Amino acid sequence: MNEQDPETGRPITSSELLSVVASRELAGRRTVFAGIGLPTLAAELARLTVARDIEVVYESGVCGAHPSRLPETIADAVLITGAEAVVSMPTLFGSVLQGGHIDVGFLGAAQIDRWGSLNTSVIGDWDRPSVRLPGSGGAVEVMANAREVFVVMRRHTPRSFTDALDFCTTPGPDRALADGIRPLGVGVTRVVTELGVLAREGVGDELRLVAVHPGVTVGQVRAATGWDLRTAATVTTTAPPTPAELRLLRDDVDPDRVYLR
C-alpha cells in the first residue's frame, strides 16, 4: 500500500494502517486483553473512536487502563495512572480471564497456522534457532479463555503464515481439543496483516481471506501465505485510514512514536 494522508500528504506507514484497521475490528466490544505493541495502539485508538466504553486490560494486572502515554513494556508504571483497578496477577488470570470476563484477547505473533495457533518462541530448530523470541507471556491463557482472539502481524509471508509452526507456543482450540483440553473461547477470529484481513468462525474452521488493503490483490495474499488460503465468497477492500484516524493516532495515541514506525 502506497497511500498518502490526504490532509498532510505524508505517506501512511504499515504500522498506521495496521493500527487503524485493527482498531475498527474492536467496534462493539467491551473488554479487551491487550498485548504490548500494535495491539496497544489499536486498543487505544478504538477507545477514541469506535469503542469509547472499551475497558482495556493488561497482563500486569491493570484493568480499565487510561495511561497518560503509551506503555513501553507490560510493567511500565504509566499503566497504573488513571486505571480503574489494579489487581494481582493470580486474580487477573484466575478470576478475570478464567472467569470468562474478556471479550477479545488482542495478540501479536511471529508465526500463525491456518487454524489460528501461534508461535512466539523460536524461528527454526528449538535447539539451534535462527531467531529466539520472547515466548508466551500470558498468551496461552488468553487464547484459552477470551471469548475470541484478534491477532495483528506486521509481516505476511509464507514463513510467518505457515502450514507448520516451527514451535507451537499458543495452541488454538482445534489443537487443544486434539490433546483433550477444552478451551472456553473460540480462538482466533480475526488476523490483520500488512496485506489484508483473515477471519475464521471458530473450531473446525480455518482462516480465510475476507479483505485486502487498497492496491493489494487476492493473488498477492495467496502467494504470501504458506498454505492454500481459502477466500470468502466476496473479498472486500479495506477503507484507508481517514485523516481523523491518522491525526488521533499520530498526535494523541503515540506522539512519541513508541510503536509507530
Side-chain angles (χ1 to χ4, degrees), residues 4 13 15 44 48 63 72 77 109 124 128 135 161 171 175 182 189-190 199-200 202 215 228 230 241 257:
Q4 290 186 328
T13 68
S15 295
E44 288 302 312
L48 297 174
C63 300
E72 296 185 21
R128 299 179 65 85
F161 285 75
R175 191 159 181 162
R182 180 169 293 279
T189 58
R190 289 287 187 279
R200 62 189 288 275
D228 186 12
R230 297 180 180 179
R257 303 192 78 80

Side-chain angles (χ1 to χ4, degrees), residues 96-155:
V96 178
L97 192 54
Q98 294 179 21
H101 299 295
I102 300 297
D103 292 332
V104 176
F106 216 141
L107 304 173
Q111 286 185 323
I112 187 169
D113 68 15
R114 70 177 74 200
W115 308 108
S117 291
L118 309 177
N119 173 21
T120 54
S121 293
V122 296
I123 300 298
D125 182 76
W126 174 263
D127 294 321
R128 299 179 65 85
S130 57
V131 179
R132 191 170 291 283
L133 300 164
S136 171
V140 171
E141 289 81 1
V142 171
M143 180 74 81
N145 295 290
R147 292 188 178 93
E148 59 182 324
V149 173
F150 294 172
V151 178
V152 59
M153 296 179 65
R154 291 184 182 275
R155 296 180 179 84

Side-chain angles (χ1 to χ4, degrees), residues 19-137:
S19 301
V20 169
V21 174
S23 73
R24 294 169 181 167
E25 296 288 346
L26 292 172
R29 270 64 176 196
R30 183 68 178 84
T31 53
V32 177
F33 195 112
I36 289 294
L38 289 176
T40 301
L41 283 176
E44 288 302 312
L45 181 59
R47 194 159 57 84
L48 297 174
T49 53
V50 299
R52 293 185 177 273
D53 294 327
I54 201 169
E55 181 178 351
V56 185
V57 178
Y58 287 97
E59 185 180 339
S60 49
V62 177
C63 300
H66 302 280
S68 56
R69 59 172 173 78
L70 282 186
E72 296 185 21
T73 69
I74 202 66
D76 195 327
V78 75
L79 281 173
I80 298 174
T81 60
E84 304 293 335
V86 181
V87 301
S88 68
M89 290 184 69
T91 299
L92 178 71
F93 283 91
S95 299
V96 178
L97 192 54
Q98 294 179 21
H101 299 295
I102 300 297
D103 292 332
V104 176
F106 216 141
L107 304 173
Q111 286 185 323
I112 187 169
D113 68 15
R114 70 177 74 200
W115 308 108
S117 291
L118 309 177
N119 173 21
T120 54
S121 293
V122 296
I123 300 298
D125 182 76
W126 174 263
D127 294 321
R128 299 179 65 85
S130 57
V131 179
R132 191 170 291 283
L133 300 164
S136 171

Side-chain angles (χ1 to χ4, degrees), residues 122-209:
V122 296
I123 300 298
D125 182 76
W126 174 263
D127 294 321
R128 299 179 65 85
S130 57
V131 179
R132 191 170 291 283
L133 300 164
S136 171
V140 171
E141 289 81 1
V142 171
M143 180 74 81
N145 295 290
R147 292 188 178 93
E148 59 182 324
V149 173
F150 294 172
V151 178
V152 59
M153 296 179 65
R154 291 184 182 275
R155 296 180 179 84
H156 193 141
T157 67
R159 194 80 173 98
S160 53
F161 285 75
T162 179
D163 199 36
L165 301 174
D166 290 1
F167 182 87
C168 183
T169 312
T170 309
D174 295 79
R175 191 159 181 162
L177 285 166
D179 290 335
I181 301 168
R182 180 169 293 279
L184 293 179
V186 299
V188 174
T189 58
R190 289 287 187 279
V191 183
V192 179
T193 87
E194 61 183 347
L195 300 179
V197 180
L198 283 66
R200 62 189 288 275
E201 297 300 324
V203 176
D205 190 25
E206 63 182 74
L207 288 165
R208 65 192 183 283
L209 181 66

